[in-house]
Amino acid sequence: MVTGAARGIGEAIAKWLIMAGADVTVIDKDSLVKSVFRTESCQVLEADLHGEDVVALADEVLANGPVELLVNNVGITTPHRVLQVGSEELDLVLGTNLKGPWLFTDRLVQALIEDQAHTPDRVPRPRGSILFISSLHDRFVAREAHYSVSKAGVSMLVKAMAKELGRHRIRVNAISPGWIRTAEDTGTPEQVAKHARLRPRIPAGQAGVPADVARVALFLLSDAWSGYVTGQNIAVDGGLSLHNWLDE
């Protein structure tokens, strides 16, 4: 299951999972998701993790059986500074980035645990791997405070879930991408200015692309590759998070 899959990082992770042979369901509120995956072998749902009953949405997904791999990629922000943020912006950003994924994950996890309990003699018993896409802004102050707060909440949720769910053979990890360029934004004036500002601060010398995140996502989702890794938040940023004020 991959949320926010219509473009960028979510699209890349979903398509890499499909190439790896996973039985994938993708969700996005943008109807574009249907055309993006029109030639892929996967289930496509058009839904909003903020505006809809996420428990009911999870139950719709569970009609096909328990979900063992979950990527919570959906995330949004609004262009408001800290003193400009009101209840509407808080509800939208925290609801989409934290509350919705939390409740959605909770329902899917409950179903997986129930499935484990009903198949005690099954070998191997079903396991789970959950991945949240966070952000470097979960630990660094940014202009859009409500976005940073939502991602900081995601990072703590990952730790709390990992500690609680380990006994159920469910791992929980996060990826914090740095500057990841997508095909849609490479030529905009904002991105050109961002390129000039950030590139000198990235030790790797360039921005990343969605595939850079997708490769790490598959590593973290796979028990064969990362079966002893849980509660971790890995920065995929070309070293951008190593920059500090002493470098100015």
Side-chain angles (χ1 to χ4, degrees):
M1 166 64 59
V2 182
T3 69
R7 56 175 57 82
I9 291 172
E11 176 189 352
I13 293 175
K15 289 185 174 179
W16 277 64
L17 282 168
I18 292 169
M19 287 189 294
D23 182 8
V24 176
T25 298
V26 296
I27 294 180
D28 202 292
K29 67 178 183 179
D30 191 336
S31 60
L32 175 67
V33 70
K34 295 179 179 178
S35 61
V36 168
F37 290 92
R38 66 184 182 280
T39 62
E40 305 289 347
S41 178
C42 66
Q43 180 181 7
V44 180
L45 297 177
E46 185 181 339
D48 187 350
L49 286 182
H50 171 61
E52 298 184 23
D53 182 343
V54 293
V55 175
L57 180 60
D59 285 338
E60 180 180 350
V61 172
L62 291 167
N64 295 321
V67 173
E68 296 182 353
L69 305 178
L70 169 61
V71 181
N72 285 300
N73 171 70
V74 66
I76 63 168
T77 188
T78 65
H80 295 85
R81 302 292 288 268
V82 63
L83 297 181
Q84 300 170 328
V85 174
S87 60
E88 181 178 349
E89 290 78 27
L90 279 176
D91 288 344
L92 177 61
V93 174
L94 270 68
T96 302
N97 298 358
L98 182 58
K99 180 181 177 181
W102 185 332
L103 296 176
F104 187 65
T105 300
D106 180 77
R107 179 67 191 102
L108 295 181
V109 164
Q110 288 184 30
L112 181 58
I113 293 173
E114 290 169 6
D115 185 66
Q116 291 174 339
H118 293 155
T119 54
D121 298 325
R122 179 172 160 188
V123 179
R125 293 177 64 193
R127 302 167 66 99
S129 185
I130 299 169
L131 179 63
F132 285 83
I133 304 301
S134 186
S135 167
L136 292 185
H137 294 310
D138 64 8
R139 69 203 80 166
F140 297 108
V141 176
R143 291 186 176 185
E144 297 162 356
H146 51 332
Y147 178 78
S148 294
V149 167
S150 72
K151 291 302 185 179
V154 164
S155 293
M156 183 51 69
L157 177 61
V158 165
K159 295 177 183 179
M161 282 190 168
K163 186 175 181 180
E164 179 72 18
L165 299 178
R167 60 193 174 95
H168 296 292
R169 299 163 58 89
I170 299 173
R171 299 183 299 110
V172 189
N173 292 289
I175 291 175
S176 285
W179 178 27
I180 305 298
R181 302 184 80 180
T182 63
E184 293 85 5
D185 63 21
T186 52
T188 65
E190 293 80 11
Q191 287 296 313
V192 170
K194 187 175 182 179
H195 181 273
R197 183 177 75 255
L198 290 184
R199 185 171 181 179
R201 304 181 181 185
I202 302 175
Q206 61 185 10
V209 295
D212 293 320
V213 181
R215 285 190 290 268
V216 179
L218 262 65
F219 163 76
L220 289 173
L221 290 168
S222 169
D223 280 337
W225 294 338
S226 63
Y228 201 56
V229 178
T230 193
Q232 302 306 302
N233 187 348
I234 298 179
V236 180
D237 65 352
L240 176 60
S241 56
L242 303 175
H243 181 79
N244 62 71
W245 63 273
L246 292 172
D247 297 326
E248 296 294 345

